[in-house]
Amino acid sequence: MGILDYQLVDRLILSNVWGTEGCALVFKNKSTVICRCNHTTSYAVLMQVVSYKPVVEHYTALKYVSYLGLALSITSLLLMLIILLYLRTLQTVRVKIHKCLAVCLLAAQVTFVAGITSTGEKVICKVIAFVMHYLFLSVFTWMLCEGLNLFILISYPTSHVEFPPFTIIGFVLPLIVVAITGGIKYDNYVSSTSCWLNVEDGVIFAFVGPAILIILVNIVILGIVLHVFLRVKKNIEKCLKEKIRSGLRAGCVLLPLLGITWMFGILTMDHSTLFFTYLFCLINSLQ
């Protein structure tokens, strides 16, 4: 909430220096204007390691791209879970990992939409940041489980894989990271502009660090999978052009599942890298 000379406010709004989106007038007289503004943000804030905010036009566009993508994603995840729960015969380890990944991603996206801008109450905002930190880390650890399961199926096709060890990776490891981060950086845990990890104090790396590590592991796994895929007998017989096309198709299917598309968020630094911000918001809000 701010108190400013109303003529100055009017001039700033008319000259497009300030935007009125997300703001409501609380009180105004001849000498004073009091307004309350909710911070708006885009999905790209999750992987930004520098404090950067695009100009108003791009910021608004990114917000709409993010929330439209999230609406479609949440709807699709709900449909997916309903289908998988209905088809009770699908009880393989792979499907169970899919379910856990879908539940974590659904919960994370719903929390993001409902709470990312709830900066009015510090305690509630911090709780939201803790919950989102855990949920989005869980998304990544379950994507790691997807990669590890895929690696086992490709490298040891006759082995029997049990599901319980994956639950330790998927649910327990993120909890340990969040607990350690919260204990060390409790006072500076949350950003001043959104209910997410503090960039200025480096808390954001408690999410970005593990995310990058998991992505790198999954990139190696993707390379192994594509190598095995292209060496399958029916693919060996194809011409080079067809083999490349088959490999690209398989890669495109696996990229979002293994979280590799989240790397675009790291490339968002300033106005010159705005393209990657749009790419991140579009691809990952639709994950």
Side-chain angles (χ1 to χ4, degrees), residues 3-20 28-33 35:
I3 302 176
L4 295 168
D5 178 79
Y6 79 100
Q7 291 180 337
L8 173 61
V9 171
D10 289 340
R11 286 199 302 273
L12 288 169
I13 291 172
L14 289 173
S15 61
N16 288 325
V17 174
W18 280 3
T20 58
K28 178 178 179 180
N29 61 23
K30 290 183 178 181
S31 61
T32 304
V33 171
C35 55

Side-chain angles (χ1 to χ4, degrees), residues 87-212:
L87 300 175
R88 297 182 180 277
T89 53
L90 296 177
Q91 294 296 325
T92 63
V93 171
R94 181 172 57 86
V95 173
K96 289 178 180 179
I97 293 173
H98 287 343
K99 287 180 184 177
C100 291
L101 174 57
V103 168
C104 290
L105 188 56
L106 176 63
Q109 290 183 342
V110 169
T111 307
F112 180 92
V113 172
I116 189 67
T117 59
S118 303
T119 55
E121 296 291 336
K122 289 185 178 181
V123 175
I124 294 175
C125 187
K126 190 169 288 188
V127 169
I128 291 170
F130 274 116
V131 171
M132 282 207 303
H133 188 190
Y134 173 74
L135 289 173
F136 277 110
L137 271 182
S138 296
V139 168
F140 272 93
T141 50
W142 281 110
M143 285 192 286
L144 176 62
C145 292
E146 293 275 7
L148 292 174
N149 184 56
L150 196 59
F151 175 77
I152 294 170
L153 291 176
I154 290 291
S155 303
Y156 310 98
T158 59
S159 63
H160 178 68
V161 182
E162 297 290 341
F163 180 69
F166 287 118
T167 60
I168 298 173
I169 298 172
F171 289 130
V172 178
L173 284 183
L175 188 61
I176 294 172
V177 174
V178 173
I180 293 173
T181 308
I184 297 173
K185 294 285 188 178
Y186 181 81
D187 293 331
N188 300 315
Y189 190 82
V190 180
S191 168
S192 60
T193 57
S194 64
C195 297
W196 183 234
L197 306 182
N198 195 331
V199 173
E200 286 79 6
D201 207 48
V203 183
I204 187 66
F205 288 101
F207 172 69
V208 173
I212 291 176

Side-chain angles (χ1 to χ4, degrees), residues 31 62 70 72 90 117 126 153 177 182 212 217 229 232 246 260 271:
S31 61
L62 287 167
L70 288 169
L72 292 171
L90 296 177
T117 59
K126 190 169 288 188
L153 291 176
V177 174
I212 291 176
V217 171
F229 175 80
V232 174
S246 297
I260 298 171
H271 295 287

Side-chain angles (χ1 to χ4, degrees), residues 29-41:
N29 61 23
K30 290 183 178 181
S31 61
T32 304
V33 171
I34 301 176
C35 55
R36 186 188 301 275
C37 298
N38 293 320
H39 296 290
T40 57
T41 191

